[in-house]
Amino acid sequence: MKSPRAVGSRALIMAAVTGVLFLSSCAAPPPAPAQPPGAASWEQITSEAKGQTVKLWMYGGDTQGNAYVDEHLIPAAAKEGVTLERVPVADTKDALNRVLTEKQSGTTAGQVDLVWVNGDNFGTGKEAGAWACGWTSLLPNMSLTDPADPLLSEDFGTPVEGCEAPWSKAQFTIAYNSAAVPDPPKTLAGLLDWVKAHPGRFTYPAPPDFTGSVFTREVLYSVSGGYAKVRLAFDQGAFDRLTPALLTELQDLKPSLWREGSTYPKSSSELNALYAGGQVDFTMTYGPAELTKLVTEGTYPATTKVLTLEEGTVGNASFLAIPSTSGHRSAAMVVANLALSEEQQAQKADPAIWGQFPVLNPGALSPEGRALFDHLPSSPVVPGYEVLSKNANPELAAAWVPALDEAWRRHVLAGN
Amino acid sequence: MAVTLPPGLPREALRKDAARNGLTRSRAAGRILRTATAAALAVWFVLPLVPLGLWVFADRWSYPAPLPQHWGLENVDSALSRGAATGFAGSLALGLAVSALATPLGVLAARSLAFHPSRWSALFSALLFAPLALPAFVTVFGLNVLLVRLQVPSSAGVVLVLTAYALPYTTYVMRLAFGAHDLGFEEEACTLGATRGQVFLRVQLPLIAPALARAAFLAFLVGWSDYLVTVLIGGGSLVTVPLLVASAAAGTGNDGIVAVLSLIALAPPLALLLFAGMTGRRRPGARP
Amino acid sequence: MFLPETEVLITRSRPKPRVPGALLAVPAIVIVAFVVVGGSAMVTAQSLGLMPLVGRPELSTAAYTAHGGDLLVGGGLSLAIAGTSTLLACLIGFMAALIMMQGRWCGKLVAAMSSLSIPLPHIVGAAATGLLLADSGLLARVFGTAERWPPLVGGPWWAAVIFEYAWKESAFVGLVLAGTLATRSVDYEETAALLGAGRLGRLRHVLLPLSLPALMTSGTIAFIYSFGSYEVAWLLGRPYPEPLPVMALRLYNSVTLTSRPEAAAVAVVTAAVSLCAVLMALAFLRKIPLWR
């Protein structure tokens, strides 16, 4: 009789071999361009959508965003006969990750029907065939947007090509405590000088955090002499030529940062907590709408102001994408269309609700729609989109982002 | 008749005797030292819960105020509007499902290990306790693809994986109980003509009831306190309190909401513990 | 398929059960085997490049060497964090168990306080620790020393992370030890006291040897848990260097398509170290006379 130990190890080996055999048939299928759902008409789509449930995956750390979806978008979707469920995630990458896993295993009735996404998450997903494409032209409310708007046709350099419907615009914003910084800098280079003159009062989140990543790109534009000098499409030559100056600048900045740059906040929320706690005098965000709420609630000092930079800051748009693994595309399209409507965009733009900038073309609005936007109250902290987006800089192509993040980790974070 | 008490049963009587006869009673200096240590330990265990208790009622608590500037219940409202009720229901369902699966399976496995030694026993024990040696995220990375491919609904996948992680605890607790369990009672009952059902209800169940409660509680905690498995395998289909805590903690100015959600996470297991304490059972063991 | 072997082993004296006894374990075994064997096999396959997200499967160890240096540093860091917190948890837990088994009011108080932290999910414990120890946390506010407050959260010594693990695990170790001691020690202790052993003598010759097996077991469980757990180090740690689970999750969530095998490789390394720790603990336990 064999000893249990021998039997055990044989069983394990057998299991492992079976596993590997099973796996060899498991290579992910090559990313096929996802098909638009037939040549359906909008009527067909809306009738198909009735009774379906849509799971919208979105970053869940923004209370106002959650409240807007729960209190405005979900009831409106219910009126169209679509049950909308919000799935909060700590990071949009969790959603993409889920879609990629579903794609890896070839499912067609996935858990994700709609994702709030943009930038490299969108780009990577598109590269892997994770999104359904060519459906946005079917949405009636797309006519309210400007087809020539570059922010809506390219997402961080990745052509949108109907793989996601626009939802909001955002402008990278640096905020400061005017009580501690009576004479604020006017350019990014000026900000870096201020930092060196006031050691320990500034830091930025460590990339790959979204906000920290944007900050490094702002610095890249600044040290390269403006965004016009940086080729937006990624190429290794430009990368090798431009990044040394950026990395040197950020290395030089290190001793002047919070805790002498020996560490960085891991996320924008950690930076925000430092700002709220008075450890630093600046914070930054890609969603300036949150500033209003945080000042009103007393989390941020009442003397918080938005820093206006002469050369402008990076702006982008964020979108709603439908995964190619979703089993409820029609209903997801109905929700995406609804989110683009004048009523929803106006509610979303109300600083008391969420304060996200609309993606609609003012010239395409109906008189009623225009009235909705005209009646929006303005925020006491954050200037309007026209002011913030003055001289708006375009975003670099998505391929730049992981490359810059990795270079930063290697040279600035790990290097000493 | 000599009855072996399962190690889990109280020996209050013995302890009281020991205290009464004074043999192990300490002197005055020892008592002061002991009281001081006890106080320090009590502070150690309760200190991290203090800011939670304060933040729950802090409508406004700007830095650097040492205490909240406005007290109120706004955070409770915000937590409710963030889906605290759904999360609570999800956590409860997950804990109960894991407990309902892992407890009976643990009983069966422990019975097999205790009363039916075979040449498979060593392998069985090694496998049953293997989850303790394998961090959850490792198996999850591998299983995620497998479960989606096998089209296992994601909530079922979460329950399955967490059941595997609860089984070592339930098996261990029941194995201990059966170790002190005298099969003679069952055999005697059979000899006296009891049916299998009667043996189970009248003999087996009362003997193992305390251990059973302990095992069920531990399995419940495995489901109740999980974050990573729920997030990666559940893929959002299952919203639990730990998920809400994580997503609130990832935002800014949510400290009060985090505190409310945290207390919600503490309430049911605490109620169970208190209930167990009131009914005079020994405190259950626990998971790190 | 197990039937022929197990049939022989059924005890003859009892009424013949409907299911062969050893097979009672099979349902539990099936679930655990699926999770443990299936999970390990799949994660190993991913780490060896056999399941790429895009492209053809190809056997390679590139994922293991891609972050070789970080893997070593991260492993050392994880070991240091888990080791320190487990050591603290065992010390504090042992003290707590001694107090608890005295009964009386202070024992009951410590028992009650420690059972508060047991059912709390680690993510909640981490959030609570942050609210307590951060630069703008409760203690910094109360003592008004914001400028000189030591960097506990996100600091170079990972103090808040170690604190959280030590806090929750000391309660676990304490309750397990108290359970073991309560059932065993009173008789021994009385005997020892009768034989004239002093306090320290009783501690050294009775209580410590009696609790050693339970201390080792609960300590090992605590060590493996903190070594392989993600959320606490993620919430309270710093971005570099990273403990292995945090590194694995960052790579797993990274948008670069090649990073999944790398994440799987980190996971395999973590599992291997955990396994070694368990084997060492088992080898040590076998040498202890009281271990059953």
Side-chain angles (χ1 to χ4, degrees), chain C residues 43-290:
Chain C
V43 82
T44 313
Q46 287 187 48
S47 75
L48 292 173
L50 295 176
M51 304 178 66
L53 272 175
V54 285
R56 298 176 52 79
E58 199 173 318
L59 190 69
S60 116
T61 54
Y64 287 87
T65 47
H67 301 276
D70 285 355
L71 205 58
L72 277 181
V73 176
L77 176 66
S78 285
L79 281 177
I81 292 177
T84 316
S85 55
T86 307
L87 210 62
L88 282 173
C90 285
L91 274 175
I92 298 170
F94 184 60
M95 272 201 305
L98 289 186
I99 301 280
M100 277 185 231
M101 56 166 293
Q102 304 272 353
R104 306 189 212 174
W105 68 268
C106 50
K108 289 201 180 95
L109 178 76
V110 171
M113 295 298 116
S114 62
S115 32
L116 269 181
S117 78
I118 288 285
L120 217 58
H122 265 283
I123 180 104
V124 172
T129 307
L131 293 180
L132 183 73
L133 298 181
D135 292 12
S136 50
L138 181 65
L139 290 183
R141 288 173 191 243
V142 168
F143 294 110
T145 52
E147 301 310 313
R148 283 164 290 116
W149 188 250
L152 301 176
V153 173
W157 297 102
W158 296 77
V161 180
I162 292 173
F163 173 88
E164 202 279 346
Y165 288 139
W167 174 61
K168 266 197 59 95
E169 283 160 9
S170 60
F172 168 69
V173 173
L175 289 173
V176 170
L177 283 189
T180 321
L181 287 179
T183 55
R184 284 186 180 172
S185 71
V186 180
D187 323 317
Y188 287 103
E189 246 208 307
E190 267 180 69
T191 319
L194 271 175
L195 294 175
R199 268 178 170 286
L200 277 179
R202 294 208 300 271
L203 183 69
R204 203 178 137 208
H205 295 295
V206 181
L207 291 173
L208 204 56
L210 269 180
S211 38
L212 201 54
L215 198 60
M216 277 300 294
T217 323
S218 53
T220 309
I221 293 179
F223 178 85
I224 299 296
Y225 188 85
S226 37
F227 184 74
S229 115
Y230 161 77
E231 54 263 42
V232 179
W234 167 68
L235 211 57
L236 300 175
R238 51 172 27 204
Y240 187 89
E242 293 166 307
L244 293 181
V246 177
M247 182 177 173
L249 261 291
R250 177 175 59 81
L251 290 169
Y252 190 77
N253 281 335
S254 162
V255 288
T256 324
L257 293 175
T258 54
S259 59
R260 275 226 179 163
E262 291 162 13
V266 180
V268 171
V269 171
T270 314
V273 178
S274 300
L275 203 62
C276 286
V278 172
L279 293 179
M280 275 163 63
L282 280 179
F284 185 77
L285 272 174
R286 272 172 208 276
K287 290 190 186 154
I288 302 178
L290 269 170

Side-chain angles (χ1 to χ4, degrees), chain B residues 34-71:
Chain B
R34 203 180 56 224
T35 314
T37 320
L41 283 169
V43 169
W44 161 261
F45 284 125
V46 98
L47 191 61
L49 300 175
V50 174
L52 287 185
L54 290 173
W55 268 109
V56 166
F57 303 106
D59 281 356
R60 189 189 186 94
W61 192 1
S62 304
Y63 187 83
L67 282 176
Q69 294 129 319
H70 292 300
W71 301 82

Side-chain angles (χ1 to χ4, degrees), chain B residues 177-240:
Chain B
F178 283 134
H181 181 95
D182 193 343
L183 275 182
F185 288 117
E186 286 175 34
E187 282 163 20
E188 198 152 336
C190 287
T191 323
L192 291 173
T195 63
R196 286 191 70 83
Q198 282 172 322
V199 172
F200 175 72
L201 272 182
R202 301 275 171 83
V203 183
Q204 291 178 333
L205 203 57
L207 276 175
I208 59 167
L212 205 57
R214 220 159 32 238
F217 180 71
L218 287 180
F220 175 82
L221 280 190
V222 170
W224 181 260
S225 49
D226 175 75
Y227 168 68
L228 208 60
V229 178
T230 320
V231 115
L232 288 181
I233 295 206
S237 61
L238 192 63
V239 177
T240 61

Side-chain angles (χ1 to χ4, degrees), chain A residues 27-382:
Chain A
Q35 297 298 315
S41 71
W42 187 245
E43 283 69 35
Q44 273 175 293
I45 291 168
T46 45
S47 70
E48 217 174 273
K50 289 219 176 6
Q52 290 189 349
T53 299
V54 172
K55 290 196 188 237
L56 164 61
W57 288 48
M58 58 185 273
Y59 168 68
D62 184 338
T63 323
Q64 284 179 297
N66 294 339
Y68 159 71
V69 171
D70 290 350
E71 287 158 27
H72 300 278
L73 196 58
I74 289 181
K79 280 193 197 135
E80 311 262 330
V82 174
T83 313
L84 179 61
E85 285 177 13
R86 179 174 60 80
V87 178
V89 286
D91 194 319
T92 307
K93 291 186 170 74
D94 294 348
L96 175 63
N97 214 347
R98 175 75 197 178
V99 177
L100 290 179
T101 306
E102 288 176 354
K103 186 111 189 74
Q104 202 174 9
S105 35
T107 186
T108 51
Q111 291 287 337
V112 192
D113 300 307
L114 210 52
V115 188
W116 180 27
V117 70
N118 72 354
D120 51 349
N121 288 322
F122 172 71
T124 310
K126 197 173 173 222
E127 193 189 330
W131 311 123
C133 289
W135 52 272
T136 53
S137 54
L138 296 168
L139 307 183
N141 284 337
M142 274 303 277
S143 61
L144 298 173
T145 62
D146 179 0
D149 189 339
L151 274 184
L152 303 188
S153 57
E154 286 210 350
D155 182 354
F156 285 57
T158 309
V160 170
E161 290 173 343
C163 302
E164 51 178 4
W167 199 22
S168 299
K169 282 187 183 174
Q171 196 68 37
F172 182 69
T173 308
I174 298 175
Y176 67 100
N177 182 353
S178 59
V181 189
D183 191 17
K186 299 207 164 33
T187 60
L188 196 73
L191 174 63
L192 300 182
D193 290 341
W194 186 94
V195 171
K196 285 171 190 157
H198 301 82
R201 303 303 300 168
F202 180 90
T203 189
Y204 54 95
D209 173 79
F210 192 74
T211 310
S213 189
V214 185
F215 179 75
T216 57
R217 298 197 288 278
E218 290 276 356
V219 179
L220 177 70
Y221 286 163
S222 174
V223 296
S224 309
Y227 69 86
K229 301 279 173 61
V230 185
R231 244 177 78 91
L232 298 185
F234 179 80
D235 79 84
Q236 194 62 42
F239 180 84
D240 293 341
R241 188 163 39 83
L242 294 169
T243 44
L246 165 72
L247 296 173
T248 313
E249 177 63 45
L250 291 178
Q251 279 280 15
D252 291 349
L253 205 61
K254 240 176 143 176
S256 316
L257 294 177
W258 169 74
R259 288 191 186 165
E260 286 92 43
S262 66
T263 188
Y264 293 81
K266 283 193 306 303
S267 63
S268 56
S269 70
E270 282 183 23
L271 172 65
N272 292 344
L274 289 178
Y275 178 73
Q279 271 92 37
V280 294
D281 297 323
F282 289 83
T283 187
M284 50 191 84
T285 174
Y286 225 136
E290 66 178 11
L291 294 174
T292 316
K293 186 198 80 161
L294 291 168
V295 170
T296 329
E297 283 180 353
T299 308
Y300 283 176
T303 43
T304 299
K305 281 190 180 161
V306 166
L307 189 72
T308 330
L309 299 180
E310 280 166 9
E311 72 263 42
T313 59
V314 178
N316 75 16
S318 58
F319 300 77
L320 291 171
I322 304 179
S324 56
T325 53
S326 160
H328 305 117
R329 284 192 203 180
S330 305
M333 285 163 67
V334 168
V335 174
N337 184 56
L338 187 66
L340 264 176
S341 66
E342 291 168 334
E343 298 77 32
Q344 290 297 324
Q345 288 276 325
Q347 282 175 342
K348 186 161 61 68
D350 185 342
I353 295 176
W354 193 4
Q356 288 279 311
F357 303 127
V359 288
L360 304 184
N361 172 13
L365 296 180
S366 65
E368 300 80 39
R370 183 174 300 277
L372 285 175
F373 285 98
D374 288 345
H375 286 110
L376 286 181
S378 63
S379 156
V381 185
V382 186

